[in-house]
């Protein structure tokens, strides 16, 4: 996908989220929160769901937890705009209660489509519910600070998933806050490893461009060539992306 196609896909998803009624969470929301960030990013942060401030502003992580997320990112020299930030459920659960399994399931296609469009190298999960989507059955106390290969069913085709505590949990516990800074400090090296895997494993080469249906009467398009060992490196062919900032590693 080119940068423009990614942007268009993300905008389409966002517009569907904004008037979605697929689960009961739409009843109490002020605004749905589709997520935001750089469509060309290599790193996607997935939180739990909007809170009070997010629900009012329609943007993810703009309250106190967001302030800590920005500080955690700042500690590795990143800004929130460098990544893409979204949530497992896009509408605020009443009184900030935990999202329920049927609500997570109803909302999952949006996250999957966002990940398909973004094709990130790294997915950072923030909190238990996000972790549960990517590492079913894992326990946050055991897996925070570690990564696994993403199940392509999640929409992240060729990514490493890195688990972190939720910033709101870090706000409640100095020990968890300290561990969160330690975990975040590992993200650049996870990104480096993810880039290396994507570059060296032919199965992780960029997906072939979708075959566009030929207009009636036209010569059928040739079949897509299967990804070969000499598949192009992970550089985009979109000239507009040439000057897109790359996340610095250290
Ligand atoms: N907590 C989350 O999980 N997501 C947000 O967007 C804000 C707070
Ligand atoms: Fe739709 Fe997700 Fe909001 Fe439920 S939480 S109404 S599925 S956007």
């Amino acid at each position: 996908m080119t940068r423009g196609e990614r942007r268009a896909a993300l905008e389409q998803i966002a517009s569907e989220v904004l008037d979605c009624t697929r689960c009961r969470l739409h009843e109490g929301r002020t605004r749905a929160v589709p997520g935001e960030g750089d469509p060309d990013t290599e790193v996607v942060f997935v939180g739990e769901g909007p809170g009070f401030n997010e629900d009012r502003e329609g943007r993810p992580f703009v309250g106190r937890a967001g302030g800590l997320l920005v500080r955690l990112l700042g500690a590795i020299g990143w800004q929130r705009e460098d990544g893409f930030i979204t949530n497992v459920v896009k509408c605020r659960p009443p009184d900030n209660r935990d999202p329920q399994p049927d609500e997570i399931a109803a909302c999952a296609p949006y996250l999957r489509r966002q990940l398909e469009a973004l094709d990130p190298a790294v997915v950072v999960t923030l909190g238990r519910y996000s972790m549960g989507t990517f590492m079913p059955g894992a326990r946050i106390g055991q897996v925070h600070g570690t990564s696994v290969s993403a199940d392509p069913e999640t929409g992240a085709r060729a990514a490493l998933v890195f688990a972190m505590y939720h910033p709101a949990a870090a706000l409640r516990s100095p020990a968890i806050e300290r561990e969160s800074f330690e975990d975040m400090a590992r993200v650049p090296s996870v990104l480096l490893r993810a880039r290396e895997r994507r570059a060296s494993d032919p199965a992780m080469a960029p997906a072939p461009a979708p075959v566009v249906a030929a207009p009636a009467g036209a010569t059928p398009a040739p079949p897509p060539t299967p990804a070969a060992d000499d598949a192009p490196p992970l550089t985009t062919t979109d000239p507009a992306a040439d000057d897109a900032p790359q996340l610095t590693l250290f």
Side-chain angles (χ1 to χ4, degrees):
M1 259 198 244
T2 63
R3 179 186 174 87
E5 285 166 345
R6 269 196 297 281
R7 189 180 292 279
L10 292 166
E11 279 172 8
Q12 171 63 31
I13 297 162
S15 75
E16 291 174 38
V17 164
L18 290 182
D19 50 31
C20 176
T21 56
R22 275 195 219 163
C23 86
R24 68 181 79 78
L25 294 182
H26 82 275
E27 292 164 11
R29 76 177 172 221
T30 311
R31 297 169 74 170
V33 182
E36 65 186 24
D38 179 355
D40 284 329
T41 192
E42 299 173 275
V43 184
V44 175
F45 295 87
V46 182
E48 179 175 317
F52 179 82
N53 295 288
E54 292 78 18
D55 173 72
R56 296 185 72 169
E57 291 191 37
R59 298 179 55 210
F61 282 100
V62 291
R64 279 200 349 116
L68 180 53
L69 179 59
V70 167
R71 280 204 289 130
L72 287 161
L73 290 170
I76 56 168
W78 292 4
Q79 297 188 321
R80 58 177 283 147
E81 300 78 30
D82 296 334
F84 191 92
I85 305 179
T86 187
N87 285 300
V88 167
V89 293
K90 315 301 193 200
C91 302
R92 182 192 182 206
D95 303 319
N96 297 345
R97 67 157 168 74
D98 292 340
Q100 293 173 8
D102 62 326
E103 295 158 355
I104 294 173
C107 212
Y110 296 123
L111 178 58
R112 182 176 41 73
R113 289 167 57 200
Q114 287 173 321
L115 293 170
E116 284 168 359
L118 289 158
D119 186 16
V122 177
V123 176
V124 178
T125 63
L126 302 170
R128 280 185 297 138
Y129 289 93
S130 176
M131 177 201 68
T133 297
F134 296 92
M135 304 182 183
R139 296 173 62 107
I140 189 103
Q142 283 169 0
V143 301
H144 76 91
T146 70
S147 60
V148 297
S149 189
D151 179 346
E153 291 289 307
T154 61
R157 211 176 47 78
L160 289 175
V161 177
F162 182 77
M164 289 186 56
Y165 284 109
H166 196 285
L171 287 172
R172 292 189 294 264
S173 155
I176 290 183
E177 179 178 329
R178 192 174 57 246
E179 292 185 86
S180 296
F181 276 94
E182 288 168 10
D183 290 347
M184 188 65 90
R186 298 200 176 111
V187 171
S189 64
V190 175
L191 173 57
L192 188 57
R193 199 149 44 81
R195 281 182 186 162
E196 284 166 0
R197 285 168 89 227
R198 285 167 65 101
S200 64
D201 183 344
M204 292 192 181
V211 183
V212 181
T219 336
T225 37
D229 281 353
D230 60 353
L234 282 171
T235 48
T236 170
T237 49
D238 177 2
D242 278 356
D243 54 1
Q246 248 215 339
L247 286 167
T248 34
L249 285 166
F250 304 107

